[in-house]
């Protein structure tokens, strides 16, 4: 699964904020760096189909040969992670992850709650949080919250990951650990990744091309 971007850009009231020409292979991380306000986050939101006027998206974007821009946001199958984990406070940890588990399998058959919980637990095990499934998310540390957010993102079975400064709020030790886990899971699942960051260490750890 390869993500192709050809003169992909986002503009605001006619002013172009940024343009991407790139090919991101399965398990590869493209790092996009630059100062605040130049449109890095807007590029990710535009790719995900989450921008409205006065923003406009131009160019071409395809994933595995599918034209992304011709599809509605949910059909693009892009997983997003932000600086804020955005966990639901009214759900426990496993409930947060279950929220993202598709209600139907690939054949269109409805999945029962027990199956969906099992799949959510499998993702929590991947991020080493299986023992915290019943915890209130407000009681978790910053690193734990980030890992729950990763488990929830992966539970949705995305075809690519878009990372908008997801490590910025973590201290250096946690940052390195969570970063390695995110990149490792992306490689295991063969997901193309676009990372937006201010930190050169993030781009260096990603090991891919840098724009």
């Amino acid at each position: 699964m390869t993500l192709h971007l050809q003169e992909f850009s986002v503009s605001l009231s006619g002013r172009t904020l940024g343009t991407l020409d790139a090919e991101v292979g399965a398990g590869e991380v493209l790092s996009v760096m630059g100062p605040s306000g130049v449109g890095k986050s807007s590029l990710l939101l535009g790719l995900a189909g989450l921008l409205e006027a006065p923003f406009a998206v131009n160019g071409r974007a395809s994933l595995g040969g599918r034209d992304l821009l011709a599809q509605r946001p949910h059909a693009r199958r892009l997983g997003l992670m932000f600086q804020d984990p955005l966990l639901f406070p009214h759900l426990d940890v496993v409930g947060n992850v279950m929220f993202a588990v598709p209600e139907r399998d690939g054949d269109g058959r409805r999945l029962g709650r027990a199956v969906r919980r099992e799949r959510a637990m499998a993702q929590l095990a991947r991020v080493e949080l299986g023992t915290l499934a019943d915890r209130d998310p407000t009681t978790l540390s910053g690193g734990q919250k980030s890992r729950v957010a990763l488990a929830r993102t992966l539970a949705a079975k995305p075809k690519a990951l878009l990372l908008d400064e997801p490590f910025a709020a973590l201290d250096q030790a946690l940052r390195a650990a969570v970063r390695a886990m995110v990149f490792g899971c992306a490689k295991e699942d063969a997901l193309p990744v676009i990372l937006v960051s201010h930190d050169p260490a993030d781009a260096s750890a990603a090991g891919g091309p840098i724009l």
Side-chain angles (χ1 to χ4, degrees):
M1 190 71 68
T2 300
L3 177 62
H4 292 274
L5 303 173
Q6 296 175 288
E7 297 185 356
F8 177 80
S9 67
V10 169
S11 59
L12 175 60
S13 300
R15 179 174 66 91
T16 299
L17 301 180
T19 301
L20 290 179
D21 278 287
E23 181 177 302
V24 190
E28 185 178 57
V29 182
L30 168 68
S31 298
V32 180
M33 304 191 67
S36 297
V38 299
K40 302 184 305 298
S41 296
S42 295
L43 284 168
L44 296 189
L45 294 175
L47 190 58
L50 301 177
L51 292 180
E52 298 179 346
F55 288 96
V57 175
N58 303 286
R60 300 178 63 186
S62 64
L63 178 59
R66 296 183 299 121
D67 181 2
L68 289 178
L69 304 188
Q71 301 177 56
R72 298 182 67 181
H74 72 276
R76 299 186 187 192
R77 303 290 301 278
L78 302 176
L80 282 83
M81 287 185 64
F82 301 95
Q83 180 173 336
D84 187 333
L86 300 173
L87 302 182
F88 301 118
H90 65 289
L91 298 176
D92 58 15
V93 167
V94 70
N96 267 272
V97 180
M98 283 179 65
F99 182 85
V101 176
E103 293 187 353
R104 297 182 183 274
D105 63 16
D107 297 322
R109 292 173 296 189
R110 182 174 291 278
L111 300 177
R113 179 177 176 82
V115 173
R116 293 176 59 242
R117 180 183 174 88
E118 181 181 354
R119 295 189 179 187
M121 289 297 297
Q123 294 298 340
L124 284 173
R126 290 183 74 187
V127 299
E128 301 174 1
L129 290 179
T131 59
L132 302 184
D134 298 323
R135 283 273 293 273
D136 181 332
T138 61
T139 68
L140 302 179
S141 68
Q144 290 169 335
K145 290 178 181 178
S146 294
R147 285 188 280 159
V148 175
L150 171 60
R152 184 175 61 186
T153 301
L154 296 175
K157 297 296 183 183
K159 299 297 184 183
L161 289 182
L162 306 179
L163 309 178
D164 190 2
E165 303 267 11
F167 318 120
L170 304 176
D171 63 40
Q172 288 302 313
L174 278 176
R175 189 181 188 115
V178 173
R179 188 170 57 203
M181 185 168 285
V182 171
F183 295 156
C185 287
K187 185 162 290 188
E188 286 177 9
D189 292 355
L191 302 177
V193 180
I194 298 180
L195 166 71
V196 160
S197 178
H198 290 94
D199 190 342
D202 287 344
S204 177
I210 302 172
L211 297 178

